Amino acid sequence: MSHPADIVMVFDRDEELAVFPSLRATEDGLEAMDVMEGEYTAFTVEGRLVDLRAPDGEEGLVLAARTDEDGRKDLERHLARFWARRPGRPPLSPEGTARLLLVGGPRATGRGPRRLRNPFRRGRAPHS
């Protein structure tokens, strides 16, 4: 698994969660149009905010940069809402949640729509 400082957790407005193993994979996995519209909030597993930008417009590239801004409380709130929508599953820590989504966990996919999977992936191969 990736080093925790490299892992990016991205929440959309509906509190769906995508986990990417690196900043580069995050850039490749998100749509510039959605970034421009403020669709996402991103954090490192350690709770640092990740700045997402689409400087070349909605058809351009996405840039992701780790910041020094502490977003642990916001990350905890997002994770609490994410896990609250999954009754019967005990909430996990940021690192535990990231590990589950990155490696798939036991029956993490295929158990219904949008259940514990990376919903933002659009058929792209992730980069490390």
Side-chain angles (χ1 to χ4, degrees):
M1 183 165 147
S2 300
H3 185 276
D6 297 329
I7 297 170
V8 179
M9 304 180 83
V10 181
F11 294 88
D12 70 6
R13 288 184 185 146
D14 296 326
E15 294 298 340
E16 289 298 336
L17 171 61
V19 177
F20 298 94
S22 66
L23 290 169
R24 174 70 188 270
T26 304
E27 293 171 343
D28 290 343
L30 299 179
E31 297 289 331
M33 178 175 24
D34 294 335
V35 169
M36 287 185 63
E37 292 175 359
E39 176 72 20
Y40 306 123
T41 304
F43 306 89
T44 66
V45 169
E46 296 170 334
R48 297 286 172 205
L49 287 175
V50 174
D51 182 37
L52 299 173
R53 294 180 189 242
D56 297 325
E58 57 188 50
E59 298 298 322
L61 297 173
V62 171
L63 301 178
R66 189 175 18 252
T67 72
D68 289 332
E69 192 173 341
D70 185 352
R72 283 179 289 199
K73 289 190 188 297
D74 285 338
L75 174 57
E76 289 171 10
R77 280 192 289 274
H78 281 284
L79 268 179
R81 289 190 295 260
F82 173 81
W83 284 110
R85 295 174 58 189
R86 285 147 183 86
R89 282 193 168 268
L92 299 174
S93 68
E95 192 168 344
T97 301
R99 182 176 295 114
L100 179 66
L101 271 71
L102 283 174
V103 301
R107 296 192 285 163
T109 58
R111 292 212 38 165
R114 302 180 72 85
R115 185 181 265 275
L116 293 179
R117 61 187 175 89
N118 275 341
F120 310 149
R121 292 244 171 104
R122 290 180 166 79
R124 296 180 183 152
H127 293 84
S128 297

